[in-house]
Amino acid sequence: MEEKRVTLSASEWRVMECLWTGPKTLMELVRLLKDSTGWAKSTVTTMVRRMEEKGLVIHEEAGRAKLFRPALGREDAAAAETDSLLERAFQGSVGLLVSSLADRGGLSKADIDELYEILDRAEWEAK
């Protein structure tokens, strides 16, 4: 069976970034997110509840508080985001994506060297 890919909203990414560093209570999330977003406790509570309903976040009881953890790994989220971007903006073509970056001057020498290494590895693995 094929695994369903989930695309995170920008707000969900912010919450997940906090959780990928380790489990957090709701109040820890509120403190972390208030600094970077200005969100009130009610906003964080609503976000976390909705994310739990979507299966992105799970919790366990930790005394009087709930301890929230990501149910989705960073790599899986990044892969889903990459697939979504490729399909939406580049008709699924990695070549068009790289060409767009190159044409805009968005690739440094280090980026180009890294791409060669990635392509060499991919070519070796494809054999």
Side-chain angles (χ1 to χ4, degrees), residues 7-122:
T7 302
L8 301 175
S9 70
S11 297
E12 290 169 340
W13 269 102
R14 289 179 180 263
V15 174
M16 294 301 279
E17 287 290 347
C18 291
L19 294 175
W20 284 323
T21 64
K24 305 281 185 297
T25 64
L26 183 64
M27 291 314 296
E28 289 171 328
L29 284 171
V30 168
R31 277 191 297 277
L32 288 168
L33 292 165
K34 181 155 184 65
D35 291 343
S36 63
T37 66
W39 293 345
K41 179 182 176 191
S42 60
T43 303
V44 176
T45 301
T46 299
M47 282 291 305
V48 170
R49 180 180 45 79
R50 287 182 181 164
M51 290 174 72
E52 201 167 15
E53 289 170 0
K54 289 173 69 174
L56 300 173
V57 172
I58 57 175
H59 80 270
E60 61 187 52
E61 300 295 328
R64 292 180 11 171
K66 291 180 180 178
L67 195 59
F68 293 92
R69 300 176 185 279
L72 176 69
R74 183 189 304 269
E75 296 79 16
D76 291 335
E81 193 71 24
T82 301
D83 291 347
S84 176
L85 173 67
L86 280 173
E87 286 304 316
R88 284 182 292 117
F90 300 100
Q91 299 83 45
S93 170
V94 173
L96 285 176
L97 169 65
V98 175
S99 179
S100 174
L101 289 169
D103 291 347
R104 292 185 307 109
L107 295 174
S108 68
K109 172 74 169 110
D111 291 332
I112 294 167
D113 291 343
E114 185 177 5
L115 281 171
Y116 275 121
E117 288 177 26
I118 292 166
L119 293 172
D120 285 342
R121 187 173 60 243

